[in-house]
Amino acid sequence: MSTDIRCRFCGSTNGEVVADLGMQPACDHFPYADAAQTDPVYPLRLWVCRRCHLAQLAEDPTEPDEPRGVEPLALVRQARQAVAAVHAAGLLPSEGVALEHGSPHGGSWLGLLDERGIRPATDPGRPVDVVVDSFGLMHDADQNAALEQRVDELKPDGVLLVQFHSLAAVLRKRQWNAIRHGHPVYLSTPALVGMLARVGLRTVAAWWFDLYGGTVLLAARRQGSISPSVRHLIDDELAAGVEDFGELRALATAADETALALRGWLADEQSHGRTVLGYGAASRAVPLLNHAGIGPDLLPAVADASEAKQGRRFPGVGVPIISPDELVSLAPDDVVLFVPDMLDEIRARLPEIERRGGRWVVLEPAPRVIETSKKTATKGS
Ligand SMILES: [Zn+2]
């Protein structure tokens, strides 16, 4: 198929659009609630390169401008586990220097490495022992330039630690709303191992974590033996369909089904006179609300703990973002949680929601009400 879409890693134009998610606003940009202008929308299409198998956005005209969210505890805990795992595998030097490609999602590893005698780099341009990229690479539009840069930063025996939300998890859990503007690529272990090889690095070890439904950490260096963990993870992700166009196409179907289910459920709750609000102005909620056409008429507000987001609105659909205190004072009957990883954390932080008879609802992907424990329910009565 002839196309003007060019692979963000290998430059090939031989590929295919596997999911068309319609017109979507830039989900990195939450306008002020009272901003008068309409929010621009852009096509959101997932394209897969047939040469290097990298899944990527066919176009991403947006400028990354993501207000820094609250760092989830789960991310902090996983960073500690990940550094411990790399250390246990003997891949960290006993001393040295590290540098990090940060992510707007937070979760720096530099402090954890410092505890193990690997200091943050202070001399720009000088190669280091450890380069960390935790959820950074997924924001780079030019993947070849980004990987070449990381290789250049490594000493001859240095190690690159690159961590990403795996496309295998997106497929297994039908997390189609992980696909969004501002995240130009959707990495898988098979694709990234191949890309690393093309820039001269061997993937020597791999780990899988439950964070975000499936997070992969790869360790790569210029030489070294390859642990069986790498082969296992490649096989596992191929089985999940990361290179199977049919599986990838099913994501668009999942998007339609999820949007319809949420919209139908909200309309039903409303017809029964129940107030439904949301929690978590995560950028991944932007495609969902827009795909489903859910505005303030069905979802009057979404709360978020990040002060940078309060007083703003969801782009496209205009749902206002309020503070957790305002959420509690509105005493909603249901609260849809758009950050499912944070259920236990948010629930513990806002016990008043359930004390006042409210229920938490998660999207799996259809709405599911979390049973209120007897202890919580009787506390306020
Ligand atoms: Zn390619």
PDB file of all heavy atoms in Angstrom, residues 7 10 49 52, ligand 1:
ATOM      1  N   CYS A   7       7.768   5.684   8.844  1.00  0.00           N
ATOM      2  CA  CYS A   7       8.040   5.105  10.167  1.00  0.00           C
ATOM      3  C   CYS A   7       8.943   6.027  10.989  1.00  0.00           C
ATOM      4  O   CYS A   7       9.956   6.532  10.496  1.00  0.00           O
ATOM      5  CB  CYS A   7       8.690   3.737  10.021  1.00  0.00           C
ATOM      6  SG  CYS A   7       9.145   3.016  11.618  1.00  0.00           S
ATOM      7  N   CYS A  10      12.432   3.503  11.381  1.00  0.00           N
ATOM      8  CA  CYS A  10      13.252   3.046  10.250  1.00  0.00           C
ATOM      9  C   CYS A  10      13.008   3.837   8.966  1.00  0.00           C
ATOM     10  O   CYS A  10      13.716   3.637   7.980  1.00  0.00           O
ATOM     11  CB  CYS A  10      13.042   1.550  10.020  1.00  0.00           C
ATOM     12  SG  CYS A  10      11.467   1.141   9.237  1.00  0.00           S
ATOM     13  N   CYS A  49       4.410  -0.250  11.249  1.00  0.00           N
ATOM     14  CA  CYS A  49       5.428  -0.403  10.213  1.00  0.00           C
ATOM     15  C   CYS A  49       5.626  -1.893   9.930  1.00  0.00           C
ATOM     16  O   CYS A  49       5.797  -2.684  10.851  1.00  0.00           O
ATOM     17  CB  CYS A  49       6.741   0.215  10.703  1.00  0.00           C
ATOM     18  SG  CYS A  49       8.126  -0.044   9.569  1.00  0.00           S
ATOM     19  N   CYS A  52       9.893  -2.662  10.659  1.00  0.00           N
ATOM     20  CA  CYS A  52      10.452  -2.799  12.025  1.00  0.00           C
ATOM     21  C   CYS A  52       9.386  -3.113  13.074  1.00  0.00           C
ATOM     22  O   CYS A  52       9.711  -3.265  14.243  1.00  0.00           O
ATOM     23  CB  CYS A  52      11.246  -1.554  12.402  1.00  0.00           C
ATOM     24  SG  CYS A  52      10.229  -0.114  12.761  1.00  0.00           S
TER      25      CYS A  52
HETATM   26 ZN    ZN B   1       9.741   1.003  10.883  1.00  0.00          ZN
END
